[in-house]
Amino acid sequence: MRRVLVAGIGSTPFGRHGDATITSLALHAAGAAIAESGLDRARIGSLYLGNFIAGPLTGQEVLAGLVADGLGLAQIPCTKVEGACASGGIAFRHAYLAIATGLCDVAIAVGAEKMSHADTASVTAALNCAMDNAADGVSGLTFPGLFGLAARLYGERYGVGRAELSAVVRKNKGNGLRNPLAQMGATLRDEEIEASPQICDPLRLYDCCPVSDGAAAVVLAAADLHAELTAQPVEVAASVQTRGSPRIGGHRDLCSFDATVSAARQAFATAGIEPRMVDLVELHDCFSIAEIIDAEDLGLIPRGESAAWAREGRTGVGGDRPINPSGGLLAKGHPVGATGIGQIYETVLQLRGAHPNQVRDAAFGLTHNLGGTGVACTVNILKRLDA
Amino acid sequence: MRRVLVAGIGSTPFGRHGDATITSLALHAAGAAIAESGLDRARIGSLYLGNFIAGPLTGQEVLAGLVADGLGLAQIPCTKVEGACASGGIAFRHAYLAIATGLCDVAIAVGAEKMSHADTASVTAALNCAMDNAADGVSGLTFPGLFGLAARLYGERYGVGRAELSAVVRKNKGNGLRNPLAQMGATLRDEEIEASPQICDPLRLYDCCPVSDGAAAVVLAAADLHAELTAQPVEVAASVQTRGSPRIGGHRDLCSFDATVSAARQAFATAGIEPRMVDLVELHDCFSIAEIIDAEDLGLIPRGESAAWAREGRTGVGGDRPINPSGGLLAKGHPVGATGIGQIYETVLQLRGAHPNQVRDAAFGLTHNLGGTGVACTVNILKRLDA
């Protein structure tokens, strides 16, 4: 496998983009990433686009070809990939593999979603496309319901509750406040979180990520092209994709997603580093409880201690293990297909030392993107070139 | 790149499958392909699933993970890919690449679609997800409309018309009659075709592929595993994916799709053979006129002569250049995401000498899968191992 660099990044703000089409959002992000890389777009040999529900919500598929056409790329392979909320991470991995395996020297991964124009019932129905409808759809369970169950179970098992969930929310909302791309940064007190509407016991409104529009893109290049790059590159030390059960009954434990555990183990082995060497993490906090579970599944915090770490502030930007300095899905937003690539965007800024919530001397960053009921997962490890 | 073999194939019949879920169709085809290969499913290292519109039509995404779960595969990367009607071909190419580039030794590509349960308006709206809705959707044009325009233009340019279109229909419907997987084989007279309802001038009902359900799957293996395979393998001599314009206005000529031209040139160069060496072709005849155009774009018949070849019977099973011995999309059916893999299925049977419409001594077969308004294309060349 050849060494691969992130050569350029681009993103729209995450949030509400009114009447903008999903294609226009993707083109904005992709154009910015290409421009920053300094590479001629004629050299791009492959495009992957991560998207989950543009079909049901916008009536538009073939997004990979639409974006390539708008960018004026050559007659290259252009592919939309889908794995629910992990669609963006899957797009990134495939662009990475195209270069690592020698198929081309430059590739682009784009993630995009447009959701805010649709009514709540349509959005809920579309998101439920990520469940196994034959097995679980009939139960009436939604994703907030699933993570509400996980929060109850985790809380009872480890003796934690509202205070720890709120600590995650406060941290991420606070981080989001300083991230210009974030949809819903805020300075929140525990009482405000507790007073927000109950969604699925024990989850409150602030425990749930918002409905978002947005797009993000990264240009990847073979390490041979380093001298030609105009932005500071970072290296992809590992890019792993796994699957887990699409059925809730297929999970032995709702306090862990085995697709994450497996992906993280493979990623650390590939990168040749220990979890303690990770300077910052952008992980899939679709709900506050998800951040607590994911951090343990990734091997970053010992099992059962993640909630306490959150309460003690050890996952803040200046803490022992900074998690979601971007604000995460909770505050930055979750335009589903864009999220996994947005995580790469944020991590690259950190490794360049240019993030608005900079983690000091960040050398290794990890991103974690999880789809559905843990059915698809990607974990990437990025590193500073001098690390 | 390592040599790759098709180790096993499976398919449902194409047609109407009532209340069967799309997942159950995919599992039927995939299970058959694995069983035929003789390989333990635990060795499968990657799964790609081609699907176009399960989101809008069935409310079910994450199909790649669902199928892997149903098959009991390991925690391997499972990815849905989408490129409109070329989704199946794209899935095949990615499974091929996973082995050719050394990522794994065994991979499976599955294609599936479920459409017949939906009403006509829903199906039409879903199929139009393959258009650039911002550029062309507002015109009210549908895919029959687009190919109707192409038929008019081709007819005027080359002085051909109803007789040639009907010759394609008669041939493919007749081939379908002898293919047990085909949805709508028939023995038709020209008068019956001409008397069928007009869809988009000059296209009649019989000029258009039906709405279909179905799934197809292929197991691919590294050539090193040859001795372990229980079914007669064939080799993948080339697998190419290209893009074209998603906008009708982006095509300089409606009598040609440049994504096909480019993919075919690359495929012949990779396989190291001339078009005249192809013994049979499974190409994307979504409409009768499409077969005429595609055969020229693929370089199999000189420009402007394809209609005459059809009229003269030169594209029949025993002709100079057999096209769609399976019955093609017109007669076998077009469960969109399954079509490209169904073409591989048919071609493998031919190269094994076991097809119900066997082309004598077939050594090289070509498959061609085209999406949307030519926005995505795959061309594969398969060869008999002793060829």
Side-chain angles (χ1 to χ4, degrees):
Chain A
M1 302 279 269
R2 302 197 299 171
R3 290 176 59 211
V4 179
L5 305 178
V6 178
I9 58 176
S11 183
T12 67
F14 286 6
R16 289 179 169 271
H17 284 280
D19 292 336
T21 64
I22 186 169
T23 311
S24 71
L25 296 174
L27 287 171
H28 176 95
I34 295 169
E36 199 202 39
S37 74
L39 296 170
D40 189 323
R41 64 191 62 203
R43 297 170 73 175
I44 295 174
S46 193
L47 178 147
Y48 285 92
L49 186 136
N51 171 260
F52 174 36
I53 41 174
L57 289 186
T58 75
Q60 183 66 68
E61 289 285 357
V62 297
L63 290 169
L66 275 167
V67 171
D69 185 63
L71 292 171
L73 304 187
Q75 286 186 301
I76 59 170
C78 298
T79 305
K80 166 178 160 171
V81 293
E82 184 273 329
C85 304
S87 299
I90 294 173
F92 176 80
R93 174 173 172 269
H94 280 79
Y96 161 81
L97 285 177
I99 299 171
T101 61
L103 296 175
C104 59
D105 291 328
V106 182
I108 185 166
V110 189
E113 208 76 63
K114 183 76 178 71
M115 308 171 72
S116 75
H117 61 284
D119 60 66
T120 303
S122 299
V123 170
T124 300
L127 291 173
N128 277 359
C129 289
M131 290 207 167
D132 180 340
N133 284 311
D136 295 329
V138 289
S139 71
L141 203 66
T142 59
F143 283 98
L146 169 64
F147 281 91
L149 290 173
R152 285 291 295 269
L153 185 63
Y154 187 98
E156 288 172 17
R157 183 179 300 171
Y158 298 113
V160 296
R162 186 66 258 167
E164 289 77 10
L165 296 174
S166 292
V168 172
V169 174
R170 270 192 285 104
K171 168 182 66 75
N172 289 358
K173 290 290 190 181
N175 287 346
L177 204 57
R178 291 175 293 277
N179 183 350
L181 297 184
Q183 178 175 4
M184 284 195 168
T187 304
L188 289 175
R189 288 173 296 115
D190 282 353
E191 309 86 81
E192 292 172 288
I193 297 168
E194 285 163 39
S196 71
Q198 179 166 292
I199 302 300
C200 285
D201 181 42
L203 301 179
R204 301 274 165 177
L205 182 64
Y206 284 124
D207 290 299
C208 309
C209 65
V211 169
S212 314
D213 310 326
V218 297
V219 173
L220 294 162
D224 305 347
L225 303 184
H226 187 175
E228 300 182 52
L229 306 181
T230 50
Q232 185 186 336
V234 307
E235 182 165 350
V236 184
S239 184
V240 176
Q241 179 185 349
T242 56
R243 80 164 191 93
S245 176
R247 292 170 292 110
I248 295 171
H251 291 273
R252 277 175 300 183
D253 183 0
L254 275 185
C255 295
S256 175
F257 294 99
D258 55 7
T260 300
V261 173
S262 173
R265 281 188 191 144
Q266 291 180 53
F268 283 117
T270 303
I273 65 167
E274 300 290 322
R276 62 179 169 72
M277 295 170 68
V278 168
D279 297 297
L280 71 119
V281 182
E282 290 287 337
L283 58 71
H284 202 85
D285 60 324
C286 43
F287 299 92
S288 53
I289 182 63
E291 173 161 320
I292 290 172
I293 290 172
D294 294 347
E296 297 178 5
D297 283 343
L298 291 165
L300 300 168
I301 298 178
R303 190 67 67 185
E305 298 182 21
S306 188
W309 281 49
R311 189 184 61 234
E312 295 161 10
R314 298 174 69 182
T315 56
V317 171
D320 303 297
R321 186 81 70 238
I323 295 178
N324 288 327
S326 70
L329 285 61
L330 287 178
K332 190 187 174 191
H334 185 26
V336 179
T339 293
I341 298 185
Q343 294 173 328
I344 302 285
Y345 178 100
E346 300 287 337
T347 303
V348 168
L349 281 188
Q350 290 280 357
L351 300 181
R352 288 180 183 168
H355 197 278
N357 288 316
Q358 183 65 42
V359 172
R360 197 152 65 96
D361 198 31
F364 288 96
L366 181 148
T367 71
H368 164 257
N369 201 196
L370 188 68
T373 58
V375 64
C377 181
T378 60
V379 170
N380 298 292
I381 296 175
L382 304 183
K383 72 171 185 177
R384 219 171 54 198
L385 282 180
D386 61 356
Chain B
M1 302 279 269
R2 301 196 300 170
R3 289 176 59 211
V4 179
L5 306 178
V6 178
I9 58 175
S11 183
T12 68
F14 286 5
R16 291 178 169 271
H17 284 279
D19 291 336
T21 65
I22 185 169
T23 310
S24 70
L25 296 174
L27 286 172
H28 177 95
I34 295 170
E36 201 203 39
S37 74
L39 296 170
D40 189 322
R41 64 191 62 203
R43 297 169 74 174
I44 295 174
S46 193
L47 179 147
Y48 285 93
L49 187 136
N51 170 261
F52 174 36
I53 40 174
L57 289 187
T58 75
Q60 185 65 68
E61 289 285 358
V62 297
L63 290 169
L66 276 168
V67 171
D69 184 63
L71 292 172
L73 304 187
Q75 287 186 301
I76 60 171
C78 299
T79 306
K80 166 178 160 171
V81 294
E82 184 274 328
C85 304
S87 300
I90 294 173
F92 177 80
R93 175 175 172 268
H94 280 79
Y96 162 80
L97 285 176
I99 300 171
T101 62
L103 297 175
C104 59
D105 291 329
V106 182
I108 185 166
V110 188
E113 208 76 64
K114 183 74 179 70
M115 307 171 72
S116 75
H117 61 284
D119 60 67
T120 303
S122 298
V123 170
T124 300
L127 290 173
N128 277 358
C129 289
M131 290 207 166
D132 181 341
N133 284 311
D136 295 329
V138 291
S139 72
L141 203 66
T142 59
F143 283 98
L146 169 64
F147 281 91
L149 289 173
R152 285 290 295 267
L153 185 63
Y154 188 98
E156 288 173 15
R157 184 179 299 171
Y158 298 113
V160 296
R162 186 66 256 166
E164 288 78 11
L165 296 175
S166 292
V168 171
V169 173
R170 269 192 285 104
K171 168 182 67 74
N172 289 356
K173 291 289 190 184
N175 288 345
L177 204 57
R178 291 176 293 276
N179 184 350
L181 297 184
Q183 178 175 6
M184 284 195 167
T187 304
L188 289 175
R189 288 174 294 115
D190 282 354
E191 308 87 80
E192 292 172 289
I193 297 169
E194 284 163 39
S196 71
Q198 179 166 293
I199 303 298
C200 285
D201 181 43
L203 301 180
R204 301 274 167 178
L205 183 64
Y206 284 124
D207 291 298
C208 309
C209 65
V211 170
S212 314
D213 310 326
V218 297
V219 172
L220 295 162
D224 304 348
L225 303 184
H226 187 175
E228 302 182 50
L229 306 180
T230 50
Q232 185 185 337
V234 308
E235 183 166 352
V236 185
S239 183
V240 176
Q241 179 185 348
T242 56
R243 80 163 192 94
S245 177
R247 292 171 292 108
I248 297 171
H251 292 273
R252 277 174 302 183
D253 184 0
L254 275 185
C255 295
S256 174
F257 294 99
D258 54 7
T260 300
V261 174
S262 173
R265 280 188 192 145
Q266 290 180 54
F268 284 117
T270 302
I273 66 167
E274 300 290 323
R276 63 178 169 72
M277 295 170 67
V278 168
D279 297 296
L280 73 118
V281 183
E282 290 288 337
L283 59 70
H284 202 87
D285 61 323
C286 44
F287 301 92
S288 53
I289 181 65
E291 172 160 322
I292 291 172
I293 289 173
D294 294 346
E296 298 179 3
D297 283 343
L298 290 165
L300 300 168
I301 298 177
R303 191 67 67 185
E305 297 182 23
S306 186
W309 280 49
R311 190 184 60 234
E312 294 161 10
R314 299 175 69 182
T315 56
V317 171
D320 302 299
R321 185 82 70 239
I323 294 179
N324 288 328
S326 71
L329 285 61
L330 286 178
K332 190 187 173 191
H334 184 25
V336 180
T339 293
I341 298 184
Q343 294 173 327
I344 301 286
Y345 178 100
E346 300 288 337
T347 303
V348 168
L349 282 189
Q350 289 281 358
L351 300 181
R352 288 180 183 169
H355 197 278
N357 289 315
Q358 183 64 44
V359 172
R360 197 151 65 96
D361 199 32
F364 288 96
L366 180 147
T367 71
H368 164 256
N369 200 196
L370 187 68
T373 58
V375 63
C377 182
T378 59
V379 171
N380 297 293
I381 296 175
L382 304 183
K383 72 171 184 177
R384 217 170 54 198
L385 281 180
D386 62 355

